[in-house]
Amino acid sequence: MDTVCTPVNKLDLEHFIAENDSFKYGIIDKENKAVIDFKYDNISYFNSGDESNFIYLAQLGDKIDIYTKDFKKLDISNISMVYWLKDNIFSYLDSSNRVHIYDITSNKDEVYAEEYNFVYFYTDDLAMVSNSSGKYGYINSSKDEVVSLKYNYSATEFINGYASVCNVSDSGIDCGVIDKTGNEVISLKYDDIYVLGNDNFVVKDGDNFYIV
């Protein structure tokens, strides 16, 4: 059956987010057929910059349903927020403020310790985590904490075995580099630092930048 609605957002050459005369949102194809039913208060999408990583967030009241790029509804019922999406894996916060990582390909849903309010994606087999006090550290794929949550300003993902970490001190922001064991291979003394890979780093010291 054709759907009487008004397209509001073109998604690709064949699909549109649309609103019906009851002010409910769904998604239609180019034949005006609903591929996601018109029952939501809002529909948005979430991607990581390429077409292979794409999910739809469909909201009804306080409830969020997740659909894949093929319009398949995932069997998750307690999502309050989606954090990130990469390689068909995304992180979300549930209604009890627990962080999950969900693998769309395998339908595997992992929940993380209550002390973490954010878990980033894994690189070099480690994931950056943070807590409600604003401290950052790292866990491995077994969820063991391998770098304690002691950095109070920022921490990046690992690149070729290294990550940049920063603390706030009385003198300002102090940044350095750690390896996968948590050893500080560059002391926290720079204004900013970037991991380039191949054991090269760009450091910012005042108004000057150096490669070390």
Side-chain angles (χ1 to χ4, degrees), residues 111-169:
V111 62
Y112 285 75
E114 291 184 9
E115 66 185 285
Y116 303 135
N117 66 354
F118 184 82
V119 179
Y120 206 41
F121 53 77
Y122 285 87
T123 58
D124 285 358
D125 299 318
L126 295 178
M128 182 271 285
V129 294
S130 66
N131 61 20
S132 59
S133 299
K135 299 290 185 68
Y136 298 85
Y138 295 86
I139 59 174
N140 61 20
S141 56
S142 298
K143 303 179 185 176
D144 300 318
E145 194 171 290
V146 296
V147 178
S148 61
L149 281 76
K150 61 182 179 179
Y151 299 105
N152 65 15
Y153 184 75
S154 67
T156 68
E157 71 270 22
F158 273 85
I159 300 175
N160 294 334
Y162 299 101
S164 64
V165 291
C166 301
N167 275 332
V168 175
S169 67

Side-chain angles (χ1 to χ4, degrees), residues 61-115:
D62 294 331
K63 180 182 178 183
I64 298 175
D65 288 336
I66 301 289
Y67 289 83
T68 68
K69 63 179 180 178
D70 300 320
F71 311 109
K72 174 187 175 183
K73 183 175 176 293
L74 299 179
D75 187 20
I76 312 173
S77 60
N78 59 346
I79 297 173
S80 63
M81 180 185 299
V82 173
Y83 285 128
W84 54 261
L85 170 71
K86 182 181 180 182
D87 299 331
N88 282 320
I89 297 172
F90 65 91
S91 173
Y92 72 91
L93 189 71
D94 69 22
S95 56
S96 299
N97 293 320
R98 298 287 297 273
V99 176
H100 297 242
I101 291 183
Y102 190 96
D103 187 325
I104 295 173
T105 303
S106 65
N107 292 319
K108 184 179 181 181
D109 190 352
E110 290 192 276
V111 62
Y112 285 75
E114 291 184 9
E115 66 185 285

Side-chain angles (χ1 to χ4, degrees), residues 152-153 166-175 188-191:
N152 65 15
Y153 184 75
C166 301
N167 275 332
V168 175
S169 67
D170 292 339
S171 60
I173 299 172
D174 301 317
C175 299
L188 276 70
K189 61 182 180 180
Y190 294 102
D191 298 326

